[in-house]
Amino acid sequence: MTDLQGKIGIVTGGGSGIGREVALTLAKRGAHVTIADISEEGGNETVQLIEALGAKALFVKTDVSRLDDVKNYVHTTLNMFSRIDMFFNNAGIEGQVMPLADYPEELFNKVVDINLKGAFYGMKYVIQAMLKNGGGAIVNTASNAGIVGSPGVSPYAGTKHGVIGLTKTAAGEYAAQNIRVNAIAPGPTATNMMERFTQGSEEAHNQVKAGIPAGRYGTPQEVANLVAFLLSDEAPIINGAVYPIDGGLTAL
Ligand code: NAD
């Protein structure tokens, strides 16, 4: 498919998992992509994979919780590619699993800084650039934990609910300027995050799968197909929407 031919995208958290698969999917459809990730190794690997497809890619080492880093990935992309058409605002961490009353304040703040403030900073500076472009499309990564509660990961659930609030609000604020803002809410998806969450235990994996009507995890490619669609011109009237992609988990 070449429906994204010549478009410019930014993917945060593009060094692994869902972000990497989205970056590759955008590149396969003709886009050039900036990878903003805290991991130099993961980010550079994704760039090599994209270049092998014949697309252009750029890695910008970024901690999305740092305002200067966010300004930097936006400015570096504009310097290299002149515009930003698509933004996958995706980097996030899960924190640790423990009840709310035991949750350390420092770790709570870290999850907020990366998952919520990082998403806000990204939207703030990318929207400024898109306003100068004449428009663009943004997809923010929420989670099933942004739709329903998620015992054991209170800051994660709090921040993912927050990402949905930012999504809906920005969608309303910028629709008239041709900027669409949507969110995806993946359920358990087969990435490093799920491995960390279950600590690699077969039993824990089976327990999580047993709670999913489809009986299995989603794949990063399945999520990437949805994201590429939402970022494309195939979805011009879709704005302010939240798409669960979770095998039916949040439907029940
Ligand atoms: P992952 O751990 O495979 O990838 C996350 C990427 O984000 C990594 O490359 C990591 O280096 C990067 N990152 C972490 N902190 C960062 C920071 N401060 N600045 C920049 N980059 C940073 O995980 P994933 O499953 O691909 O997760 C991607 C997104 O999807 C996250 O927002 C996550 O909350 C969300 N999500 C994942 C699942 C799942 O089951 N895997 C479910 C719902 C939502």
Side-chain angles (χ1 to χ4, degrees), residues 6-84:
K7 287 194 186 264
I8 307 303
I10 298 177
V11 175
T12 70
S16 171
I18 293 170
R20 170 175 289 173
E21 206 59 50
V22 167
L24 288 170
T25 301
L26 299 182
K28 281 178 197 157
R29 296 188 185 189
H32 306 302
V33 189
T34 294
I35 306 298
D37 201 293
I38 202 162
S39 161
E40 230 157 309
E41 197 187 339
N44 281 321
E45 240 175 61
T46 304
V47 165
Q48 282 170 13
L49 291 167
I50 292 176
E51 285 174 347
L53 296 168
K56 287 186 200 144
L58 180 68
F59 170 61
V60 184
K61 187 173 163 61
T62 303
D63 178 346
V64 295
S65 69
R66 295 172 61 99
L67 194 60
D68 285 347
D69 282 14
V70 173
K71 286 185 192 169
N72 184 45
Y73 75 65
V74 171
H75 289 151
T76 309
T77 303
L78 291 173
N79 283 342
M80 172 90 170
F81 297 119
S82 304
R83 55 186 290 122
I84 302 165

Side-chain angles (χ1 to χ4, degrees), residues 57 68 71 81 97 102 133 164 168 195 245:
D68 285 347
K71 286 185 192 169
F81 297 119
V97 180
D102 299 334
N133 280 356
I164 290 177
K168 291 177 175 173
E195 286 302 318
I245 174 160

Side-chain angles (χ1 to χ4, degrees), residues 43-181:
N44 281 321
E45 240 175 61
T46 304
V47 165
Q48 282 170 13
L49 291 167
I50 292 176
E51 285 174 347
L53 296 168
K56 287 186 200 144
L58 180 68
F59 170 61
V60 184
K61 187 173 163 61
T62 303
D63 178 346
V64 295
S65 69
R66 295 172 61 99
L67 194 60
D68 285 347
D69 282 14
V70 173
K71 286 185 192 169
N72 184 45
Y73 75 65
V74 171
H75 289 151
T76 309
T77 303
L78 291 173
N79 283 342
M80 172 90 170
F81 297 119
S82 304
R83 55 186 290 122
I84 302 165
D85 302 297
M86 304 179 292
F87 179 41
F88 185 42
N89 197 10
N90 163 74
I93 59 167
E94 67 280 14
Q96 280 175 21
V97 180
M98 66 184 88
L100 185 148
D102 299 334
Y103 219 93
E105 190 188 358
E106 200 177 306
L107 183 57
F108 188 94
N109 288 340
K110 185 176 176 191
V111 177
V112 170
D113 284 348
I114 294 173
N115 291 8
L116 188 59
K117 277 194 188 164
F120 162 67
Y121 291 158
M123 288 168 78
K124 178 175 169 67
Y125 290 101
V126 169
I127 286 172
Q128 288 179 10
M130 285 179 170
L131 287 170
K132 291 180 191 146
N133 280 356
I138 296 174
V139 172
N140 296 319
T141 301
S143 166
N144 61 289
I147 296 176
V148 295
S150 198
V153 287
S154 49
Y156 185 76
T159 56
K160 293 301 187 178
H161 276 73
V163 165
I164 290 177
L166 293 177
T167 301
K168 291 177 175 173
T169 302
E173 288 177 350
Y174 296 101
Q177 282 111 319
N178 200 29
I179 297 173
R180 296 184 295 107
V181 189

